[in-house]
Amino acid sequence: MPETFHLISAVTCPWVQRAVIMLRAKGVDFDVTYVNLREKPDWFLALSPHGKVPVLKVDGEVLFESNAIAEYLDEVFEPRLHPADPIKRAKNRAWTDFLPTFAWGPGLNNLSYCASADDLPGALETARQRVSRLEDAIAKERGNDGPFFNGPDMCLVDAAYAPFFQRFMLCEDHLKTGLLDDFPLVAAWVDALLATDAVTGSVPPEFPEAFDENLQRRGALAWSLKSGAQAAE
Ligand SMILES: N[C@@H](CCC(=O)N[C@@H](CS)C(=O)NCC(=O)O)C(=O)O
């Protein structure tokens, strides 16, 4: 059994968070080193094949890509989060593959980080199309037997999507788009994800401040609305 786990991380990275959710769900202890991705240190560039986080060092072996890391952790540590049934497992992997399209296809992130009120309706419409695919998938594959993607137990699809929904909900507090109002299965799924210890404890204490800085740097509408409301208090 491997003994040491060292995660190379960035505070607001959703792909890193997916790895952390998996480590927490599996009860694996790990050390963390944070890197500044705007000034990547040489040791990091030498270690990370794509110059990206997450990287997980396992007894000195370098793993990269959050999906590969999640699959590795699931193979090595109990409890198994992937479904035992190969057909269900393949479908889960397919929905995990949908994540980049869901987030950036353009997708949910374009709404979360939307720059202006004028851009909001278009971003909302695209995000609705993306969420609707998940709503249909859940209705077809699982029905009402939630709250997680496959049912009562967390799975790798949950670990993949949770960070993106978490960020959206932080922005939604200010944007108030009502995106999830017409998607009850996804809405209940998101509620469950954001109430799960493996997810809630997967960001460091400095996350809220770093996320706000990120919004500000992106010139996000959510940030203008938040800072405007704070100034009015
Ligand atoms: N497909 C990769 C995406 C990882 C990724 O994009 N990480 C970002 C931070 S959130 C990064 O390291 N960006 C640095 C860069 O692209 O230079 C994964 O799933 O691990």
Side-chain angles (χ1 to χ4, degrees), residues 13-15 37 40 51-54 65-66:
C13 176
W15 310 100
L37 292 171
K40 295 175 189 169
K52 294 184 181 194
V53 290
E65 285 293 330
S66 60

PDB file of all heavy atoms in Angstrom, residues 13-15 37 40 51-54 65-66, ligand 1:
ATOM      1  N   CYS A  13      -8.507  26.326  -7.195  1.00  0.00           N
ATOM      2  CA  CYS A  13      -8.637  25.457  -8.383  1.00  0.00           C
ATOM      3  C   CYS A  13      -9.705  24.368  -8.174  1.00  0.00           C
ATOM      4  O   CYS A  13      -9.583  23.526  -7.280  1.00  0.00           O
ATOM      5  CB  CYS A  13      -7.293  24.803  -8.707  1.00  0.00           C
ATOM      6  SG  CYS A  13      -7.435  23.644 -10.092  1.00  0.00           S
ATOM      7  N   PRO A  14     -10.732  24.342  -9.036  1.00  0.00           N
ATOM      8  CA  PRO A  14     -11.789  23.334  -8.880  1.00  0.00           C
ATOM      9  C   PRO A  14     -11.320  21.912  -9.197  1.00  0.00           C
ATOM     10  O   PRO A  14     -11.866  20.945  -8.672  1.00  0.00           O
ATOM     11  CB  PRO A  14     -12.863  23.778  -9.895  1.00  0.00           C
ATOM     12  CG  PRO A  14     -12.137  24.610 -10.904  1.00  0.00           C
ATOM     13  CD  PRO A  14     -10.992  25.242 -10.181  1.00  0.00           C
ATOM     14  N   TRP A  15     -10.293  21.806 -10.051  1.00  0.00           N
ATOM     15  CA  TRP A  15      -9.787  20.466 -10.408  1.00  0.00           C
ATOM     16  C   TRP A  15      -9.001  19.892  -9.247  1.00  0.00           C
ATOM     17  O   TRP A  15      -9.069  18.692  -8.962  1.00  0.00           O
ATOM     18  CB  TRP A  15      -8.937  20.547 -11.682  1.00  0.00           C
ATOM     19  CG  TRP A  15      -9.628  21.272 -12.783  1.00  0.00           C
ATOM     20  CD1 TRP A  15      -9.433  22.576 -13.165  1.00  0.00           C
ATOM     21  CD2 TRP A  15     -10.671  20.778 -13.647  1.00  0.00           C
ATOM     22  NE1 TRP A  15     -10.266  22.903 -14.202  1.00  0.00           N
ATOM     23  CE2 TRP A  15     -11.031  21.816 -14.524  1.00  0.00           C
ATOM     24  CE3 TRP A  15     -11.320  19.551 -13.758  1.00  0.00           C
ATOM     25  CZ2 TRP A  15     -12.022  21.670 -15.495  1.00  0.00           C
ATOM     26  CZ3 TRP A  15     -12.302  19.402 -14.728  1.00  0.00           C
ATOM     27  CH2 TRP A  15     -12.637  20.458 -15.585  1.00  0.00           C
ATOM     28  N   LEU A  37       0.099  30.104  -9.469  1.00  0.00           N
ATOM     29  CA  LEU A  37       0.090  29.720 -10.891  1.00  0.00           C
ATOM     30  C   LEU A  37       0.468  30.879 -11.812  1.00  0.00           C
ATOM     31  O   LEU A  37       0.742  30.667 -12.984  1.00  0.00           O
ATOM     32  CB  LEU A  37      -1.283  29.158 -11.269  1.00  0.00           C
ATOM     33  CG  LEU A  37      -1.619  27.811 -10.620  1.00  0.00           C
ATOM     34  CD1 LEU A  37      -3.074  27.443 -10.870  1.00  0.00           C
ATOM     35  CD2 LEU A  37      -0.701  26.707 -11.125  1.00  0.00           C
ATOM     36  N   LYS A  40       4.857  30.419 -11.655  1.00  0.00           N
ATOM     37  CA  LYS A  40       5.110  29.005 -11.359  1.00  0.00           C
ATOM     38  C   LYS A  40       6.584  28.791 -11.036  1.00  0.00           C
ATOM     39  O   LYS A  40       7.455  29.164 -11.836  1.00  0.00           O
ATOM     40  CB  LYS A  40       4.730  28.148 -12.565  1.00  0.00           C
ATOM     41  CG  LYS A  40       3.239  28.169 -12.894  1.00  0.00           C
ATOM     42  CD  LYS A  40       2.956  27.394 -14.167  1.00  0.00           C
ATOM     43  CE  LYS A  40       1.525  27.596 -14.604  1.00  0.00           C
ATOM     44  NZ  LYS A  40       1.246  27.100 -15.946  1.00  0.00           N
ATOM     45  N   GLY A  51       2.212  21.653 -16.547  1.00  0.00           N
ATOM     46  CA  GLY A  51       2.341  22.911 -15.803  1.00  0.00           C
ATOM     47  C   GLY A  51       1.054  23.273 -15.079  1.00  0.00           C
ATOM     48  O   GLY A  51       0.787  24.447 -14.820  1.00  0.00           O
ATOM     49  N   LYS A  52       0.230  22.243 -14.771  1.00  0.00           N
ATOM     50  CA  LYS A  52      -1.056  22.496 -14.122  1.00  0.00           C
ATOM     51  C   LYS A  52      -1.151  21.765 -12.791  1.00  0.00           C
ATOM     52  O   LYS A  52      -0.492  20.736 -12.589  1.00  0.00           O
ATOM     53  CB  LYS A  52      -2.197  22.008 -15.024  1.00  0.00           C
ATOM     54  CG  LYS A  52      -2.311  22.798 -16.311  1.00  0.00           C
ATOM     55  CD  LYS A  52      -3.495  22.351 -17.126  1.00  0.00           C
ATOM     56  CE  LYS A  52      -3.517  23.166 -18.412  1.00  0.00           C
ATOM     57  NZ  LYS A  52      -4.741  23.071 -19.135  1.00  0.00           N
ATOM     58  N   VAL A  53      -2.010  22.284 -11.929  1.00  0.00           N
ATOM     59  CA  VAL A  53      -2.415  21.553 -10.729  1.00  0.00           C
ATOM     60  C   VAL A  53      -3.784  20.934 -11.025  1.00  0.00           C
ATOM     61  O   VAL A  53      -4.510  21.466 -11.877  1.00  0.00           O
ATOM     62  CB  VAL A  53      -2.487  22.504  -9.509  1.00  0.00           C
ATOM     63  CG1 VAL A  53      -1.110  22.944  -9.084  1.00  0.00           C
ATOM     64  CG2 VAL A  53      -3.397  23.704  -9.747  1.00  0.00           C
ATOM     65  N   PRO A  54      -4.137  19.838 -10.365  1.00  0.00           N
ATOM     66  CA  PRO A  54      -3.412  19.162  -9.300  1.00  0.00           C
ATOM     67  C   PRO A  54      -2.317  18.234  -9.820  1.00  0.00           C
ATOM     68  O   PRO A  54      -2.416  17.692 -10.915  1.00  0.00           O
ATOM     69  CB  PRO A  54      -4.511  18.312  -8.642  1.00  0.00           C
ATOM     70  CG  PRO A  54      -5.443  17.964  -9.757  1.00  0.00           C
ATOM     71  CD  PRO A  54      -5.448  19.194 -10.640  1.00  0.00           C
ATOM     72  N   GLU A  65      -3.575  15.258 -13.727  1.00  0.00           N
ATOM     73  CA  GLU A  65      -4.946  15.236 -14.270  1.00  0.00           C
ATOM     74  C   GLU A  65      -5.912  14.730 -13.180  1.00  0.00           C
ATOM     75  O   GLU A  65      -5.826  13.573 -12.735  1.00  0.00           O
ATOM     76  CB  GLU A  65      -5.068  14.376 -15.537  1.00  0.00           C
ATOM     77  CG  GLU A  65      -4.486  15.046 -16.778  1.00  0.00           C
ATOM     78  CD  GLU A  65      -5.279  16.299 -17.214  1.00  0.00           C
ATOM     79  OE1 GLU A  65      -6.500  16.363 -16.981  1.00  0.00           O
ATOM     80  OE2 GLU A  65      -4.660  17.224 -17.768  1.00  0.00           O
ATOM     81  N   SER A  66      -6.847  15.598 -12.827  1.00  0.00           N
ATOM     82  CA  SER A  66      -7.736  15.295 -11.697  1.00  0.00           C
ATOM     83  C   SER A  66      -8.554  14.024 -11.906  1.00  0.00           C
ATOM     84  O   SER A  66      -8.824  13.292 -10.954  1.00  0.00           O
ATOM     85  CB  SER A  66      -8.663  16.483 -11.422  1.00  0.00           C
ATOM     86  OG  SER A  66      -9.461  16.779 -12.547  1.00  0.00           O
TER      87      SER A  66
HETATM   88  N1  LIG B   1      -7.625  18.892 -17.004  1.00  0.00           N
HETATM   89  C1  LIG B   1      -6.891  19.340 -15.851  1.00  0.00           C
HETATM   90  C2  LIG B   1      -7.191  20.808 -15.602  1.00  0.00           C
HETATM   91  C3  LIG B   1      -6.339  21.390 -14.493  1.00  0.00           C
HETATM   92  C4  LIG B   1      -6.273  22.917 -14.585  1.00  0.00           C
HETATM   93  O1  LIG B   1      -6.720  23.535 -15.554  1.00  0.00           O
HETATM   94  N2  LIG B   1      -5.676  23.535 -13.535  1.00  0.00           N
HETATM   95  C5  LIG B   1      -5.474  24.966 -13.603  1.00  0.00           C
HETATM   96  C6  LIG B   1      -5.816  25.648 -12.290  1.00  0.00           C
HETATM   97  S1  LIG B   1      -7.525  25.544 -11.891  1.00  0.00           S
HETATM   98  C7  LIG B   1      -4.005  25.221 -13.833  1.00  0.00           C
HETATM   99  O2  LIG B   1      -3.154  24.578 -13.259  1.00  0.00           O
HETATM  100  N3  LIG B   1      -3.703  26.207 -14.678  1.00  0.00           N
HETATM  101  C8  LIG B   1      -2.359  26.616 -14.938  1.00  0.00           C
HETATM  102  C9  LIG B   1      -2.116  26.789 -16.407  1.00  0.00           C
HETATM  103  O3  LIG B   1      -2.974  26.401 -17.222  1.00  0.00           O
HETATM  104  O4  LIG B   1      -1.085  27.337 -16.727  1.00  0.00           O
HETATM  105  C10 LIG B   1      -7.275  18.492 -14.627  1.00  0.00           C
HETATM  106  O5  LIG B   1      -8.417  18.000 -14.621  1.00  0.00           O
HETATM  107  O6  LIG B   1      -6.454  18.297 -13.736  1.00  0.00           O
END
